[in-house]
Amino acid sequence: VHFDYWSPDVSTLGLKLVNTAVDPAQEDIESPQTLELGTWVSVDIPLDDYAIDRSQITQILIDALGNTANLYMDNLFFYSAPPTEPSAAAPIPIIDAANVISIYSDAYTPITVSELPTEWSGSGFEEIQLEGNNTIKFFDLDFTGIVTDYGNPTDLTAMTHVHFDYWTADGTDLGIKIVNTAVDPVQEGLESFGTVTQGQWVSVDIPLDDLAMDRSQVTQILFDNLVADDASITVYIDNLYFYN
């Protein structure tokens, strides 16, 4: 339950929920952990803290708990907190395997990947399973690297797109970088995911022509948190592949 309050003098405050449709009636009251004066304060109380049957709530009471106060209140509502991790696997790819160079996906046979992640990655890494499907979890993400094979670079000249699926609850600006370390100087291209959607699997397809680089000897793929000085987000990745 959420509400905003403003008060010049409140010293104690509680929000009571009542179910009068059961016999006997059930009620419980919960309070904000701290109170602040002279400023708007947002309060969010987990409904599981209320030890009552919440299926038939009929009354909501704002209570000064034996004291008196001047109190302004707005935005009183109940809500479901958004998910912090995916509960379902990423969508199943539909591209014919003959047209795919796969890096990470249960749907295809991958090429050689010698480092996932690299030692120089600026993130945590975990491989988890969602509905039996292997999935990458990058946490505390600044950037993370994947190396295919330095001794046998991947030729992407016949490929037209890079595809991946992502899920994040807190990412706001993300990018993918493709690197050719076999040339001198090294060439790389960075493209944004576009507008980041939170709380659901999103499929991304980026034309490789958007990457102004030599794609004949690709050796590295990086996922990048494009928000400067932020290494706090978590991003789930699956079905990373190139196709034509």
Side-chain angles (χ1 to χ4, degrees), residues 11 65 68 76 78 86 149 192 204 207 228 231 233 236:
S11 58
L65 302 177
T68 59
L76 172 61
F78 301 91
D149 187 346
S192 169
V204 178
I233 66 170
Y236 299 81

Side-chain angles (χ1 to χ4, degrees), residues 122-126 137-142 231-235:
S123 73
F125 170 86
E126 183 180 359
K137 176 183 179 181
F138 295 125
F139 57 92
D140 298 331
L141 176 63
D142 180 3
S232 64
I233 66 170
T234 299
V235 180

